[in-house]
Amino acid sequence: MQIKKAVCMWCHAHCRVAVHVEGDHLVKLEPDEDFPSADLYAPITRACPRRKAAKEWFYHPDRLNYPLKRTGKRGDNSWEKISWEQALEEIGRSLSELVDKFGGKTIASARGTGRTCDEYRSRFLNLVGGNLIGATTICYGPTLAVSNAMIGWMPWPFARPGLTKAILLIGVNEHSYPPTIRSFERAQGKGAKLIVVDPRRTRLAGKADLFLQVQPGTDLALLLAILHVIVTERLYDEEFVTKWCYGFDLLVDHVKPYTPEWAAAVTGVEAAKIREAAKIYATAKPAVTFSGEAIDHGSAAVQTLRARFMLPAITGNLDIPGGDYIPGPYKNARLEQEEERAEIIPPEKKAMQIGADKYKLLSWTGYDTIQETVKEVWGKAGAASVDSNLAHAPSVYRAMVDEKPYPIKAFFTVSSNPLLTMTNVKLVYQALKKVDLHVAMDFFLTPTAMLADYVLPAASWLERPYLWNGYGISGFLVASEQALPSSIPGSYDRRNDYDFWREMGIRVGQAKYWPAESLEDAYDLRLKGLGVTFKQFMQEKSFDFQKATYQDYKQMGFATPTRKVELYSTVFEKMGFAPLPVYHEPPESHDAKAEPDINFPLVLISGGRFMPFYHSEHRQLPSLRKLHPDPLVEINPETAEKYGIKGGDWVAIETKLGRIVQKCSLKEGLLPDVVHAQHGWWFPEYDLKEPSLGGLWQSNVNVLIDNDDRVCDPLSGGWPRSTLCRIEPANVERECPE
Ligand SMILES: Nc1nc2c(c(=O)[nH]1)N[C@H]1C(S)=C(S)[C@@H](COP(=O)(O)OP(=O)(O)OC[C@H]3O[C@@H](n4cnc5c(=O)[nH]c(N)nc54)[C@H](O)[C@@H]3O)O[C@H]1N2
Ligand SMILES: Nc1nc2c(c(=O)[nH]1)N[C@H]1C(S)=C(S)[C@@H](COP(=O)(O)OP(=O)(O)OC[C@H]3O[C@@H](n4cnc5c(=O)[nH]c(N)nc54)[C@H](O)[C@@H]3O)O[C@H]1N2
Ligand code: SF4
Ligand SMILES: [Mo]
């Protein structure tokens, strides 16, 4: 028996695990008790149902083993098994022809949650001038871009039990980031006050000292009112504000009209509670602030984040022990961001990025503007560069269908399942049917892969090395060992994503930019600064945590144009956006004062995380499906009764875009005019071919949600995950023919 040390990539917890192997055989996964912070991580790893199901996943009969080439129509589920050499040769040939005819911009690729070496996808796309799209536009990308624009780095809520006195959580629930959430719970156990902002009484909201049950989409109003209280009652950190904030006086004037009484009418949260939240948060120092995807998604994402990042600034909680820590870049090796080679792409190619004319913040315009200053101060690319130079995904899917502003002819779905996770599923479906070349690389045949011409079997995190500097957070480097071979003759032949991107790159003339023949060789190059190879690093230490230093800004300033935290943002002003955030009512949700729409009286929110699933994954595993067999929609019991629905009944949820069914879960602590549907649901046990596509249309909440320009954030182009809906009892035989 051998024990290999790897970083688990089945979710964002990224636990370090001890992989027990016997020869080429996986035996089990255990928590890595020797890793720093094992006391925080190991109990999470140990309890994790996905860890327990590791063998079931790894040896699942449906895992992809060899490249597949489509033999029938797209969606027929008829395939021929081919070799990697044939697959790469044929895909490379089609790709070169398309690039010759339409230019590199005709290539687009959908990324997912970044649990693979995505920097090399970016390298390929940057060099060819293709369009990168993905959830980053609504997940973390806005948080990174806004914090980098305002503060010059992304602050991380580094709660310390006994030291941290307050924790403000906006739209985050207990399932999403287990170790971080556990650190908050520990701090609360040692006396920190917990404030939770959410439309649902989650488990964390239930144990909060203060729960602000906000109407979906109105967080900006709430935050502006909290800022109002902090400035009018002089609860801010005067010294920090004077020395280190730009535009505080303008902010004071700006928030004057946003009183708690005004916000109460908009958000549904009583004015007294808003005042209390402001007081607790601003007076209990050090405090941490954390916001989740509820804020990154949606029509007002960016301006809401602007207000959210003002809070730790004006209360003096930035970069102090027990507060929102600014680690800065990891200094001793090349960062993932540097591997992307963003500096090579010429301006004329950048200008062709789809959506860049409309949505500046996350496209090259915003990226370059922000990076310039971040690099000046830190000497390295900032957190915002982690694949945040994105094209606008809804516009790219539209370009695949109507060829405007130019045709997108080649599409690579690698490490993403957009038919489940992207809104307006019909549009994605039409796009995937229309494109000339669609290649999918995954572990299983997903509904998205069903619409590909070639499906390539990806090596999982257990079958490849990995080097990680923590998305945008940085300050550390962790290596993950390849525990098992990716190829066993006669059994399977999988490759890692690096191999694929390098091959594609070489086939469109990028050979000189891909000196490393393998992922491990690429990591050797990254580690040159440390004077070790990847293998040596793995054997000697396998991680490097930079010593925490606080308040570096006192020497070098914040990495913004004014070298201060920009409450009034000169970066936003330069890009033509409002430099201070202004509240507008959400277009496809309603605030507390609005009259309900007669046809769609309820607000549908979606995607609150739950165990044991991670987005659309793991539905194939019987042990996990037993824990959670069906898609669930949460409905307040009063509301359910009004519509004649009981707990456990199938419910039809209908919006302007379509109709799906999920099972009713009665939820006392949910606002009565809000329903919450799970996302990511398909049924691998159903027929995978058209028209079912694994039950794609049955319970997939993204069938219901639009993403046209009307509902997208005007700065980032981010799309919402909420809309207006109606519900009724469903006739399952009719609705679920499977
Ligand atoms: N088990 C599991 N864990 C995951 C994932 C998974 O799929 N499964 N996905 C991972 C990924 S990629 C991400 S991005 C994170 C996301 O994790 P989080 O950022 O925590 O996001 P959610 O769980 O989607 O939503 C958090 C809370 O926001 C609330 N909410 C909805 N609308 C609003 C609103 O308008 N305002 C406010 N204040 N709250 C609102 C929801 O009720 C929910 O409880 O989770 C990660 N962790
Ligand atoms: N309605 C609604 N929709 C949402 C959300 C929501 O809250 N509500 N959340 C959104 C958010 S925040 C996110 S991040 C997205 C995520 O949505 P996706 O873009 O789909 O991202 P992932 O779930 O990471 O992609 C998963 C696919 O990649 C495969 N995969 C995993 N690791 C690898 C790898 O190393 N290599 C390869 N080649 N394949 C791999 C998996 O098997 C799976 O099929 O969903 C978004 N969609
Ligand atoms: S799936 Fe489980 S073991 Fe793996 S990182 Fe997430 S919590 Fe940790
Ligand atoms: Mo995400």
Side-chain angles (χ1 to χ4, degrees), residues 632 645-651 663-666:
L632 298 180
I645 295 164
K646 293 190 293 300
D649 284 356
W650 283 100
V651 181
K663 260 190 183 172
C664 171
S665 159
L666 295 175

Side-chain angles (χ1 to χ4, degrees), residues 719-738:
W719 46 95
R721 58 173 187 178
S722 54
T723 185
L724 296 172
C725 77
R726 60 173 169 247
I727 55 171
E728 62 180 13
N731 175 336
V732 204
E733 275 73 50
R734 182 169 50 79
E735 313 257 3
C736 317
E738 295 280 342

Side-chain angles (χ1 to χ4, degrees), residues 149 158 228 309 398 410-411 487 489 511 540 584 587 597 629 650 674 677 699:
F158 205 178
H228 172 102
F309 281 110
R398 282 189 186 96
F411 196 68
S487 183
E540 283 166 16
H584 299 285
D597 179 325
W650 283 100
V674 176
S699 300

Side-chain angles (χ1 to χ4, degrees), residues 165-355:
K165 304 254 176 353
I167 303 153
L168 173 61
L169 299 186
I170 311 161
V172 182
N173 78 34
E174 54 276 5
H175 296 298
S176 37
Y177 303 99
T180 310
I181 301 297
R182 191 155 179 263
S183 75
F184 296 155
E185 290 181 310
R186 280 177 164 186
Q188 194 193 15
K190 294 270 183 201
K193 293 264 192 275
L194 175 67
I195 307 168
V196 172
V197 184
D198 202 301
R200 303 154 63 214
R201 184 181 289 276
T202 58
R203 186 177 63 72
L204 274 182
K207 58 185 280 193
D209 298 275
L210 195 60
F211 171 38
L212 308 181
Q213 194 165 25
V214 72
Q215 191 69 31
T218 65
D219 297 83
L220 178 56
L222 183 84
L223 294 171
L224 287 166
I226 292 179
L227 288 164
H228 172 102
V229 176
I230 295 175
V231 303
T232 51
E233 302 198 13
R234 296 187 155 266
L235 304 174
Y236 51 88
D237 181 328
E238 193 134 13
E239 193 190 336
F240 186 86
V241 161
T242 313
K243 281 200 187 145
W244 294 109
C245 290
Y246 180 78
F248 181 67
D249 293 345
L250 294 168
L251 176 70
V252 171
D253 286 343
H254 181 75
V255 297
K256 264 191 192 130
Y258 297 121
T259 61
E261 285 68 26
W262 166 82
V266 172
T267 61
V269 179
E270 303 99 276
K273 276 198 176 171
I274 299 176
R275 285 208 164 79
E276 199 185 341
K279 275 183 199 148
I280 295 176
Y281 173 77
T283 55
K285 207 161 156 181
V288 292
T289 332
F290 196 40
S291 58
E293 298 325 304
I295 308 302
D296 268 38
H297 281 250
S299 320
V302 171
Q303 295 297 20
T304 308
L305 284 162
R306 300 258 296 102
R308 169 249 185 273
F309 281 110
M310 287 179 189
L311 287 171
I314 67 167
T315 54
N317 276 303
L318 282 180
D319 217 11
I320 59 170
D324 291 331
Y325 171 53
I326 300 178
Y330 177 76
K331 296 190 183 70
N332 304 328
R334 275 177 72 78
L335 299 177
E336 286 147 18
Q337 293 92 323
E338 294 170 280
E339 291 291 271
E340 295 177 6
R341 307 302 305 266
E343 75 284 0
I344 290 178
I345 179 167
E348 61 277 13
K349 278 197 182 168
K350 290 184 176 175
M352 297 309 291
Q353 191 182 38
I354 290 183

Side-chain angles (χ1 to χ4, degrees), residues 8 10-11 13-15 17 44-45 48 50-51:
C8 174
W10 281 325
C11 88
H14 293 327
C15 301
V17 287
I44 293 165
T45 323
C48 175
R50 292 187 282 253
R51 174 192 72 83

